[in-house]
Amino acid sequence: MEKNPLLSVRNLRTYFYTEDGVVKAVDGVDFDVYEGETLGIVGESGSGKSVTSLAILRLLDPKGKIEEGSEIIFNGKNLLTLTEDEMRRIRGNDIAMIFQEPMVALNPVFTIGDQIMEAILLHQDVDKKKAREMAIDMLRKVGIPEPEKRIDEYPHELSGGMRQRAMIAMALSCRPKLLIADEPTTALDVTIQAQILELMKELQREYGMAIILITHDVGVIAENADRVVVMYGGKVMETSDVRTTFKTPKHPYTWGLLNSIPRLDIEQERLYSIPGMVPDPLHFPVGCRFSNRCEFGEEKCSVEMPPLVEVESAHMVRCFFYHKVEQAQKLSKAGEGA
Amino acid sequence: MTNSKVVNQNNTQEGKDRKVLLRVDNLVKYFPIKAGVFKRTVAWVKAVDAVSFDVYEGETVGLVGESGCGKTTVGMTLLRLYEPTSGRIIVNGEDTTHYFLSARRAKNYVRDTYVKRFQKSDFKPQDDLDKKYYDIFKNSGENGLLEHMVGDLEKKRLQFRRNIQIVFQDPYSSLDPRMRVKNILAEGPLAHKIIKKPQSIETVGKALEEVGIHSGHMYRFPHEFSGGQRQRVGIARALLMNPKLIIADEAVAALDVSIRSQVINLMMDLQKEHNLTYLFISHDLSLIKYISSRVVVMYLGKLVETAPKEELFEAPLHPYTKSLMSAIPVPNPEFKKQRIILQGDVPSPVNPPSGCPFHPRCPVAQPICSKEVPELKEVKSDHTVACHFPGSL
Amino acid sequence: MSKERKMNTELRRTMRKIFRNPSAVLGFALLIFFVIVAIFAPLIAEPINPMMLDDNGNPMKLDDPYVMPIITWSSTPVPPSADHPFGMIQGRDIFYGVVWGTRTAFFIGLTVTIISTLFGILIGSISGYYGGWIDEVLMRITDVFMSIPFLLAAMVLTTILGNGIDKVMIAMTVFGWMGAARLIRANILQVKEEQYILASKALGVKDYFIIMRHVLPNTIFPVLIQASMRMGSLVITAAGLSFLGLGAPLGYADWGSMLNFTRNWILGASGSTFSYWYAVFYPGMAMVLFVLAWNLVGDALRDVFDPRLK
Amino acid sequence: MTTFIIRRLLLLPLIVLGVSLIIFSLFQILGPDKLLAAYVNPNVFDKLSSEELEVLKEKYGLTKPFAERYGIWLWNALKGDLGWSQVGKDAVLKSILSRFPYTLELALYALIPVVGVGIWLGVAAAVHRDKFLDQFIRIFAIVGWSFPDFVFGLLILMVFYSVLGWFPPGTLSQWAEEIVKSESFHKITHLVSIDALLNGRLDVFWDALRHIIGPVITLSFLWWAYLLRITRSSMLEVLSKEYVRTARAKGVSEHDVIHKHAQRNAMIPVVTVAGNMVIGLLSGTVIIEVIFNRTGIGRLAADAAVQLDYATVLGTTLFYSIVLVLGNLIIDILYAVFDPRVRLG
């Protein structure tokens, strides 16, 4: 724990200036990623998890601005102060990214070989022939059969799982220190998802890279992340190591989420439902962003934004009444035992 | 016909008359692939290949499988949004397969399926349906049977539409963006003359309140609702027809996690209130486990395993079912489970593998698996599986 | 009455979107200007013949205001003056022709657009909804019609039918419906797969109602936008035919045939032709602005209703 | 791919048949009397008695039923005999073939500025979306698109011919035409300007160029606009695609993101438009050829239409429809070349 973080995000605020008003998609987010670990960011649509990942690489579309005072420290450098050229040298080289839908994330008019080689040629001092060899090696490494043949195929000629493997090969071709995976398996079938997640674990062990795994699927986080950040309404609601969060969630949102999904591991009489709707980022409630859907909240919650406090060692929660959740959790555990 | 056996056993074993609401008998749906200079059919996508199962009144059957396994095609074919290539769809003890054919083709269907068999001297009815139709045939001849099955086809179609409804996956494209919710909801009942125009506001209002939407919102357009609310509107639309069976095709897959349980709970509440039967199509085994009483597992257009929920999740017999279960991520870091990672992709339904469709990916495949198609066998009571070595994984 | 308010905000949003774009504002302004000119043509350019007097000694009213009166016997163009601000050509007042030509342009454009679009919608929706051999036959017929260049086809048919703007309109309609038909067919094929159509089928709604209630309302907007953008090119084609001497008869208040007069003076190869600039400029500008107005409006509508093509 | 090409080529005769049937039946509206006029010298025609007219009608087969007459025309057409062109004063087929090079030449010259500048401006507009440059280019484009070709052509003639005297109408000057027609001038490509260069006649080349610049300016100003708009919108759509973001996430430079990753994809729909434009230029330059008084196939068709020379009208429309079908076939093949996802079958 005393290690220096590889990436530190501090007070990240990312606003989108639209015709209808300012969308505060990410509003003061802090977290660290340490070398070699997997940090899971979990959240629903509009939670700001994908915007956070794009902000780290400064890939937001022109309407989105990273506000003053935000810091993204990678390897001791604040990425937000780099020039565009310096940033370009980091993208794909030190920090790589894979996306949700490999069908649309790969360029349809270039072969996968072209696209992997492009990354290699951009960041490494090798000639085309060598780059091609390296690309074939990468494809073999990610488990694509007959890589010598597949390298000249176009994305549409591969299956969904193979495409995501090619995407991973492209992202890892320069051995990045950090891989950002934005919903990498959401578009895939479960049996393929298991393959891809297993592959990512293997490659992480081999390369020693850190991974930020972004997903809405708490199951994927539970099985693949070391630590977890729960986001809601552009804010971090809870963060700790995976075991703690899943065993003793302390934020009402995390608690509600875990109780509202059908699960294979336990028998459920009736699912819990978080009331209300996923908030519209244009009109977040005043005070705690979750206050209008929270069953534990009191008046204070709809007035004041609770701070993110460390309630146990390395377990941070943004809630005034987290002890109420503790009680509810105990009750439900007791009920399960009976 | 294996199915009739299953049904009869059920009736006797459980000692109560569980009524079969829907029987899918050997359903086949192939889509042609056209190519060449004259666009001739060169191959077939075998989307659904000889699938049979029963749905009893009041229960929820979960139909589970990965993309491309044909589960959605089953739903669409049951609704006759696609015409089946062959097989029978029996609803409420009547064969409905020919309902959406032209009168001439419907008659041909009845002749080919029933009359020709009945005319043979050594004919013996194989199931209740045969018996029923044979009695009619004996009493009033071919014309009587035709009158019974093909007469008033238009009325039968409407009745069929009222009996079976669907809730779609995509809450964004399943409601006409240019229509107000009131008109979307009133369309079905008005078309069936269940209600008259002046009543529609009242009826629609009630239906909306029932699915948890303020009735004052009936004049809104779909885009003014959130995904979860739209799905509620979709459910209300189905409900307004007073259906017996609702086919829910990935009805919650597109919703946010925190909204899903709202809609699932709503559907379960409505089931109790209206004595509905559900055929729940989903790729999500955890959801299927939560919601259904019996489960049907499909792979590459074929049915691989079907069993009551508890039985299936405790002791899955097909290697595919077992691998599928192990692949589902569980939100509990302490939960230990057997990890089976399947190799390779799902093959194309145009060129399915020989023998058992699962054999190229199966961890326990034997030489016979690539040669012989395993038959669907009842291994335990009410638990059928299509595998040469059930339970070996 | 939250319903009404909702409607209004929706409408206002759309209007705001349209009018935030300066070129859309220009388009609508031009269009309104032309509409006003067309409506008040009798007041702006009085349909009288100053050369002929009636019994009371007043200038005689024209039998047909669309036939430009000959007011001078000089056949060379006469430059603009206070009485004839746009000058005269072939003995006729250019200002009069430009004003009354506005009506002709609207008449030709709107009639041809509406009739050919309706016909296209009919063919396209039958083709798209029913598919199969009906689609195959209708689309091959459409292909055949599309294989004949529009201008040439219109020329041939106009010549065969004889001069006159009604003949021009018939010709342009006969060869002008294919675009709408193809567009609506493509849209229908796309919409047909939408789940709300399947839902209506599953409800047992009749085909006819599905087309009228769901398919057409969801496919018609791109067709209407295309139609508004075609207005411009139709007016150009009609004028082109007149320019070639095939459309409106000699002396008809029509921009194209006025330019036809000019052609001889320009190709006359004398060095001083530039002094006849007004003969090209005024009718030419009227036409350019008219077409521009429709193109800008069509563009604005497309931007708002079809966000894909911004 | 092969089956696709065969399928389309099989469609060709069907379309040609359809086109000829439409045009042929349109002419039936005229009735036998007017149709006869096409065969007879107009000076003689008025003096003929009704009996003589009947005899002539009989002679030219105008009294026969429609199907039979169409059959006769079709049979002759299949043998390569499209009849006599009064306008072209030669056999129809020969008139068409002798004039086609002039149209082709004009189309080729116009194509270079249209495609080059149109795509370049379209990309520039998309990259600078909503900035001043974009607004300016868009206004320029929509104004260009709104100009009727004959108005713009007249303006060009007025300025560059009447006032400046630079670019005269016509195809060639008298003297140059005589050289071209002479025996010593080798016709290799049949495109005058190129043949002039091949023959080493720079003066003839320059003369041909002088005559072609006016129509080229007119055509390119009108067609730029369209190509530019398509390029712009296609480019904008592509720039919002995820693979563009992937490229940026790899560290690809902005120049390569736009000109390699985005532009290659954006060109896919542009191919279709540019192709249609070529077809349009080959078949639809009727008015331009009339205004600039150029020899060409558009002019031939226009004259034939006005004079009801129906053998020529039929011939030219058929020629156009063949150009169109083949052109579309080529477009589709190019489309498949540009977009690996498209498999023609």
Side-chain angles (χ1 to χ4, degrees):
Chain A
M1 275 292 120
E2 294 311 309
K3 284 188 295 184
N4 277 337
L6 176 69
L7 176 84
S8 288
V9 174
R10 288 288 169 268
N11 191 27
L12 178 66
R13 289 180 301 138
T14 309
Y15 295 175
F16 288 81
Y17 296 87
T18 69
E19 302 157 20
D20 302 310
V22 181
V23 176
K24 298 180 175 178
V26 175
D27 202 9
V29 160
D30 303 82
F31 60 82
D32 292 320
V33 185
Y34 295 93
E35 262 173 42
E37 75 162 349
T38 300
L39 176 75
I41 300 183
V42 66
E44 297 174 86
S45 59
S47 64
K49 56 187 196 305
S50 292
V51 176
T52 304
S53 68
L54 290 174
I56 293 172
L57 278 178
R58 288 171 42 189
L59 288 174
L60 295 165
D61 74 70
K63 277 185 186 151
K65 296 252 165 12
I66 300 174
E67 299 294 303
E68 288 290 318
S70 311
E71 281 181 23
I72 297 170
I73 317 263
F74 177 75
N75 251 344
K77 275 181 289 187
N78 186 352
L79 298 183
L80 299 179
T81 59
L82 299 184
T83 64
E84 187 54 32
D85 250 4
E86 289 169 320
M87 194 64 219
R88 200 142 50 219
R89 258 169 264 147
I90 286 181
R91 289 183 198 138
N93 193 22
D94 296 313
I95 307 178
M97 194 159 178
I98 56 178
F99 298 96
Q100 182 182 141
E101 243 306 346
M103 184 66 207
V104 294
L106 288 168
N107 197 326
V109 302
F110 295 110
T111 63
I112 56 166
D114 286 338
Q115 298 185 57
I116 298 172
M117 283 161 63
E118 188 181 28
I120 296 173
L121 291 167
L122 273 169
H123 300 292
Q124 296 180 40
D125 191 19
V126 294
D127 61 5
K128 269 205 161 162
K129 206 173 146 242
K130 176 76 181 145
R132 190 179 162 89
E133 277 169 30
M134 289 167 75
I136 291 175
D137 277 349
M138 262 336 281
L139 287 176
R140 188 173 295 123
K141 199 157 252 164
V142 297
I144 291 184
E146 301 175 273
E148 298 84 358
K149 214 182 90 197
R150 290 298 175 93
I151 191 169
D152 293 320
E153 285 185 2
Y154 288 94
H156 73 272
E157 294 174 281
L158 304 178
S159 69
M162 286 299 147
R163 259 179 242 140
Q164 197 57 297
R165 283 171 194 268
M167 192 80 202
I168 292 173
M170 188 168 89
L172 299 189
S173 58
C174 297
R175 297 196 161 228
K177 298 191 183 71
L178 174 65
L179 175 70
I180 302 174
D182 186 0
E183 304 263 12
T185 55
T186 306
L188 304 174
D189 274 320
V190 274
T191 57
I192 308 297
Q193 163 170 292
Q195 293 174 357
I196 297 289
L197 291 172
E198 190 66 21
L199 173 71
M200 283 172 65
K201 271 189 197 164
E202 270 168 37
L203 293 168
Q204 181 179 32
R205 240 174 277 142
E206 190 181 336
Y207 287 14
M209 65 190 168
I211 295 179
I212 298 180
L213 178 63
I214 296 165
T215 174
H216 68 278
D217 186 337
V218 286
V220 169
I221 296 277
E223 291 191 356
N224 296 280
D226 301 309
R227 288 190 309 119
V228 60
V229 170
V230 181
M231 285 186 73
Y232 184 88
K235 291 220 172 254
V236 174
M237 289 298 175
E238 181 165 9
T239 168
S240 76
D241 68 284
V242 162
R243 267 166 197 275
T244 313
T245 297
F246 280 85
K247 204 174 174 191
T248 54
K250 289 200 180 344
H251 195 283
Y253 173 65
T254 321
W255 181 84
L257 202 59
L258 287 175
N259 282 295
S260 67
I261 47 174
R263 295 164 65 155
L264 277 184
D265 57 331
I266 49 171
E267 287 304 319
Q268 291 153 301
E269 207 33 57
R270 186 178 172 82
L271 296 178
Y272 174 76
S273 284
I274 301 176
M277 289 183 262
V278 177
D280 168 8
L282 261 174
H283 309 286
F284 283 133
V286 188
C288 177
R289 299 263 157 99
F290 190 58
S291 58
N292 59 343
R293 300 178 70 189
C294 185
E295 289 196 8
F296 300 94
E298 293 179 13
E299 253 172 60
K300 188 184 178 186
C301 302
S302 51
V303 183
E304 196 184 323
M305 168 78 74
L308 189 66
V309 289
E310 189 161 14
V311 296
E312 276 167 31
S313 140
H315 191 169
M316 319 267 282
V317 177
R318 189 188 291 280
C319 180
F320 294 123
F321 303 106
Y322 64 87
H323 51 272
K324 285 194 190 175
V325 182
E326 282 173 353
Q327 278 164 1
Q329 177 73 3
K330 269 186 204 129
L331 274 176
S332 71
K333 277 270 149 59
E336 238 169 70
Chain B
M1 278 178 201
T2 46
N3 275 297
S4 54
K5 205 170 63 196
V6 178
V7 178
N8 292 335
Q9 268 174 352
N10 255 303
N11 288 343
T12 51
Q13 268 180 4
E14 302 197 1
K16 52 183 173 182
D17 259 342
R18 288 215 290 165
K19 198 177 149 211
V20 179
L21 179 62
L22 167 73
R23 170 173 299 171
V24 181
D25 179 22
N26 251 313
L27 188 68
V28 174
K29 177 65 191 174
Y30 291 176
F31 293 100
I33 299 173
K34 299 193 173 183
V37 175
F38 296 103
K39 289 270 168 207
R40 264 199 301 233
T41 306
V42 292
W44 297 90
V45 180
K46 297 176 179 171
V48 177
D49 204 0
V51 166
S52 308
F53 60 88
D54 288 350
V55 178
Y56 300 105
E57 202 164 74
E59 73 167 348
T60 300
V61 170
L63 179 56
V64 71
E66 294 178 279
S67 55
C69 73
K71 56 187 192 301
T72 294
T73 311
V74 169
M76 299 290 251
T77 314
L78 292 183
L79 277 166
R80 242 50 65 70
L81 294 173
Y82 302 150
E83 274 305 318
T85 307
S86 72
R88 294 188 301 167
I89 296 159
I90 296 147
V91 179
N92 246 341
E94 287 286 346
D95 189 349
T96 68
T97 316
H98 56 288
Y99 277 15
F100 294 88
L101 301 174
S102 64
R104 190 178 53 81
R105 288 181 59 202
K107 275 182 191 156
N108 286 342
Y109 169 81
V110 173
R111 282 196 197 101
D112 292 345
T113 321
Y114 298 103
V115 176
K116 279 189 187 153
R117 272 166 52 224
F118 293 168
Q119 281 166 341
K120 283 182 191 143
S121 51
D122 57 345
F123 172 77
K124 274 204 182 71
Q126 289 183 330
D127 54 19
D128 297 348
L129 196 67
D130 264 4
K131 209 162 9 161
K132 179 175 167 184
Y133 288 156
Y134 190 55
D135 283 344
I136 299 171
F137 180 72
K138 268 192 310 195
N139 294 335
S140 38
E142 182 178 339
N143 284 338
L145 185 61
L146 282 175
E147 177 56 33
H148 176 80
M149 293 185 71
V150 187
D152 246 345
L153 214 48
E154 189 57 33
K155 217 164 145 192
K156 286 193 168 88
R157 282 175 194 158
L158 287 176
Q159 188 57 43
F160 178 90
R161 291 291 182 217
R162 285 175 64 171
N163 279 340
I164 306 186
Q165 274 302 308
I166 183 164
V167 176
F168 285 102
Q169 167 179 12
D170 187 351
Y172 292 89
S173 88
S174 60
L175 303 177
D176 188 336
R178 292 194 195 279
M179 257 169 119
R180 288 176 200 283
V181 162
K182 177 193 157 246
N183 297 332
I184 293 176
L185 290 183
E187 185 176 26
L190 286 174
H192 286 260
K193 303 198 173 68
I194 301 174
I195 57 165
K196 291 208 173 69
K197 250 209 167 130
Q199 287 168 270
S200 61
I201 293 180
E202 195 192 329
T203 315
V204 167
K206 255 197 227 156
L208 279 177
E209 295 284 351
E210 196 169 8
V211 296
I213 293 179
H214 181 45
S215 59
H217 291 174
M218 69 169 78
Y219 293 105
R220 292 191 175 180
F221 286 98
H223 69 89
E224 297 174 66
F225 291 100
S226 69
Q229 288 176 314
R230 287 183 208 207
Q231 209 56 316
R232 288 167 190 265
V233 173
I235 294 169
R237 171 171 58 191
L239 219 53
L240 273 168
M241 303 294 285
N242 276 324
K244 295 204 166 62
L245 173 72
I246 290 186
I247 297 175
D249 186 1
E250 299 274 13
V252 297
L255 302 179
D256 263 311
V257 187
S258 73
I259 304 301
R260 262 183 221 176
S261 71
Q262 295 176 358
V263 175
I264 296 169
N265 284 341
L266 171 71
M267 291 188 75
M268 294 184 87
D269 293 343
L270 290 171
Q271 179 169 36
K272 275 191 211 112
E273 267 165 55
H274 294 265
N275 190 28
L276 290 170
T277 308
Y278 285 135
L279 176 63
F280 223 92
I281 300 172
S282 176
H283 67 281
D284 183 348
L285 214 50
S286 342
L287 171 64
I288 292 291
K289 180 190 168 213
Y290 174 69
I291 202 165
S292 38
S293 44
R294 281 193 314 124
V295 182
V296 175
V297 185
M298 281 183 72
Y299 184 79
L300 212 59
K302 287 211 157 67
L303 199 153
V304 296
E305 186 165 9
T306 162
K309 184 210 4 210
E310 295 79 12
E311 168 93 18
L312 187 88
F313 282 87
E314 248 152 58
L317 291 177
H318 199 285
Y320 175 67
T321 316
K322 203 155 185 202
S323 329
L324 197 61
M325 274 181 205
S326 90
I328 309 260
V330 177
N332 180 354
E334 289 175 0
F335 180 70
K336 290 280 169 284
K337 62 177 186 186
Q338 194 186 355
R339 280 193 87 78
I340 307 159
I341 303 236
L342 291 179
Q343 297 305 308
D345 287 317
V346 181
S348 146
V350 181
N351 252 324
S354 61
C356 172
F358 186 57
H359 86 263
R361 300 176 77 198
C362 181
V364 292
Q366 303 281 327
I368 186 178
C369 299
S370 58
K371 286 176 203 123
E372 272 177 43
V373 182
E375 243 178 82
L376 199 62
K377 301 180 284 253
E378 186 164 14
V379 182
K380 292 183 204 165
S381 87
D382 212 14
H383 188 163
T384 51
V385 59
C387 179
H388 292 298
F389 307 99
S392 62
L393 184 69
Chain C
M1 283 285 98
S2 73
K3 163 194 164 193
E4 305 252 301
R5 206 168 55 237
K6 274 277 168 202
M7 268 290 280
N8 279 334
T9 51
E10 194 60 28
L11 193 69
R12 225 177 294 143
R13 266 178 71 94
T14 314
M15 296 302 269
R16 207 174 64 211
K17 258 185 175 166
I18 292 177
F19 288 109
R20 207 184 39 231
N21 184 351
S23 58
V25 176
L26 177 67
F28 277 103
L30 278 173
L31 202 58
I32 290 167
F33 170 75
F34 278 113
V35 170
I36 291 173
V37 170
I39 292 174
F40 296 106
L43 299 178
I44 299 168
E46 218 181 325
I48 48 168
N49 188 345
M51 305 289 284
M52 280 153 90
L53 301 179
D54 63 9
D55 301 341
N56 302 329
N58 296 325
M60 203 160 84
K61 275 216 159 81
L62 295 178
D63 295 337
D64 181 355
Y66 293 99
V67 178
M68 296 161 70
I70 293 170
I71 48 179
T72 167
W73 298 112
S74 146
S75 65
T76 47
V78 181
S81 62
D83 277 350
H84 306 287
F86 290 178
M88 288 186 281
I89 188 161
Q90 214 81 8
R92 292 161 172 104
D93 182 23
I94 297 180
F95 180 75
Y96 185 91
V98 168
V99 170
W100 285 87
T102 312
R103 281 192 170 195
T104 313
F106 270 115
F107 180 58
I108 295 177
L110 287 174
T111 316
V112 175
T113 307
I114 290 169
I115 296 177
S116 64
T117 305
L118 282 179
F119 188 66
I121 289 173
L122 184 70
I123 298 286
S125 44
I126 291 173
S127 198
Y129 194 83
Y130 289 102
W133 65 268
I134 299 179
D135 177 38
E136 194 67 25
V137 169
L138 288 178
M139 279 304 111
R140 290 299 81 81
I141 292 175
T142 311
D143 280 348
V144 168
F145 270 86
M146 282 191 116
S147 306
I148 310 172
F150 179 55
L151 184 68
L152 191 70
M155 273 168 73
V156 171
L157 190 50
T158 313
T159 322
I160 288 170
L161 296 174
N163 279 18
I165 59 163
D166 49 340
K167 311 294 185 332
V168 175
M169 280 162 34
I170 291 172
M172 290 203 300
T173 310
V174 168
F175 290 100
W177 52 272
M178 297 84 74
R182 279 216 176 166
L183 187 62
I184 201 135
R185 174 180 173 273
N187 284 328
I188 285 176
L189 288 184
Q190 202 188 341
V191 168
K192 236 167 90 174
E193 299 304 313
E194 296 278 351
Q195 287 184 349
Y196 57 82
I197 302 288
L198 295 177
S200 285
K201 276 191 189 162
L203 286 172
V205 179
K206 295 242 165 22
D207 275 5
Y208 170 77
F209 288 110
I210 291 182
I211 296 184
M212 296 309 283
R213 242 187 261 147
H214 299 288
V215 179
L216 279 183
N218 280 292
T219 47
I220 204 119
F221 271 95
V223 177
L224 294 184
I225 291 165
Q226 188 206 41
S228 78
M229 299 193 75
R230 262 189 66 222
M231 274 289 290
S233 67
L234 279 178
V235 170
I236 292 183
T237 308
L241 289 173
S242 300
F243 176 75
L244 293 172
L246 285 174
L250 202 71
Y252 199 84
D254 169 83
W255 300 332
S257 38
M258 286 167 74
L259 286 165
N260 188 18
F261 290 147
T262 321
R263 190 173 146 212
N264 308 323
W265 294 102
I266 299 239
L267 286 176
S270 72
S272 62
T273 38
F274 196 67
S275 53
Y276 302 136
W277 61 271
Y278 45 86
V280 179
F281 184 80
Y282 290 110
M285 263 318 115
M287 220 165 119
V288 171
L289 292 178
F290 187 82
V291 176
L292 182 66
W294 282 104
N295 284 349
L296 288 174
V297 167
D299 238 22
L301 292 179
R302 191 186 56 178
D303 277 1
V304 172
F305 291 108
D306 190 1
R308 261 182 326 121
L309 288 168
K310 255 185 196 162
Chain D
M1 184 84 127
T2 327
T3 51
F4 172 79
I5 295 172
I6 294 172
R7 251 172 64 81
R8 291 289 284 270
L9 289 178
L10 283 181
L11 221 53
L12 181 63
L14 256 169
I15 289 195
V16 170
L17 200 72
V19 169
S20 63
L21 200 59
I22 289 175
I23 302 292
F24 204 90
S25 21
L26 283 184
F27 274 99
Q28 302 317 306
I29 299 172
L30 286 174
D33 287 336
K34 286 204 177 146
L35 282 175
L36 186 61
Y39 294 93
V40 187
N41 186 331
N43 298 328
V44 183
F45 188 71
D46 291 339
K47 294 173 192 128
L48 292 174
S49 68
S50 57
E51 286 85 36
E52 283 170 310
L53 283 175
E54 285 310 314
V55 172
L56 281 172
K57 278 185 213 163
E58 198 73 45
K59 181 184 165 201
Y60 290 109
L62 294 173
T63 46
K64 288 180 182 143
F66 172 76
E68 196 180 335
R69 292 210 318 279
Y70 179 68
I72 292 168
W73 176 86
L74 192 65
W75 179 241
N76 286 330
L78 285 175
K79 289 190 296 192
D81 176 15
L82 288 169
W84 179 258
S85 166
Q86 294 191 314
V87 175
K89 302 200 171 50
D90 204 339
V92 170
L93 196 59
K94 264 177 129 180
S95 313
I96 291 173
L97 291 179
S98 72
R99 290 177 195 230
F100 181 61
Y102 294 101
T103 303
L104 182 65
E105 191 174 21
L106 178 56
L108 289 178
Y109 274 98
L111 203 61
I112 297 161
V114 168
V115 172
V117 179
I119 290 178
W120 179 61
L121 284 180
V123 171
V127 172
H128 296 92
R129 180 182 191 174
D130 292 338
K131 304 251 172 64
F132 174 76
L133 183 68
D134 179 32
Q135 302 283 11
F136 181 78
I137 292 174
R138 286 179 82 185
I139 290 171
F140 181 72
I142 202 151
V143 170
W145 190 231
S146 304
F147 252 100
D149 38 12
F150 54 95
V151 173
F152 195 75
L154 283 178
L155 289 176
I156 291 286
L157 266 182
M158 253 166 76
V159 174
F160 289 104
Y161 171 57
S162 303
V163 178
L164 300 169
W166 291 351
F167 309 134
T171 318
L172 284 173
S173 302
Q174 194 62 41
W175 59 267
E177 195 149 7
E178 273 161 25
I179 294 175
V180 170
K181 277 189 183 148
S182 68
E183 286 290 318
S184 58
F185 191 87
H186 301 289
K187 284 187 174 152
I188 300 153
T189 60
H190 289 268
L191 306 177
V192 177
S193 59
I194 304 210
D195 281 347
L197 281 181
L198 293 174
N199 281 285
R201 292 301 303 248
L202 275 181
D203 52 344
V204 176
F205 172 72
W206 176 236
D207 189 66
L209 219 53
R210 254 164 48 99
H211 283 87
I212 215 167
I213 286 177
V216 164
I217 293 176
T218 312
L219 282 172
S220 39
F221 181 65
L222 304 172
W223 290 84
W224 264 345
Y226 189 48
L227 197 64
L228 181 157
R229 285 155 56 111
I230 298 292
T231 310
R232 179 182 177 274
S233 68
S234 162
M235 196 66 190
L236 280 180
E237 196 186 326
V238 168
L239 280 174
S240 68
K241 286 276 161 70
E242 265 196 55
Y243 51 77
V244 170
R245 198 168 69 191
T246 309
R248 292 204 175 105
K250 267 196 290 196
V252 176
S253 69
E254 199 55 28
H255 179 273
D256 278 6
V257 166
I258 290 165
H259 295 286
K260 187 175 158 197
H261 284 268
Q263 207 171 324
R264 178 80 196 274
N265 282 283
M267 281 310 109
I268 295 168
V270 175
V271 168
T272 314
V273 176
N276 281 325
M277 215 168 238
V278 177
I279 298 172
L281 285 172
L282 286 180
S283 64
T285 52
V286 176
I287 289 205
I288 297 294
E289 286 178 354
V290 171
I291 290 178
F292 288 93
N293 202 13
R294 288 182 63 83
T295 321
I297 195 162
R299 178 88 183 282
L300 179 73
D303 291 346
V306 178
Q307 295 175 28
L308 288 179
D309 174 357
Y310 79 94
T312 314
V313 169
L314 269 167
T316 43
T317 28
L318 289 186
F319 180 78
Y320 284 150
S321 54
I322 292 169
V323 167
L324 199 99
V325 172
L326 292 181
N328 277 323
L329 178 63
I330 293 168
I331 292 172
D332 286 337
I333 292 169
L334 276 179
Y335 198 97
V337 170
F338 269 74
D339 188 349
R341 284 166 298 183
V342 176
R343 243 188 252 129
L344 303 174

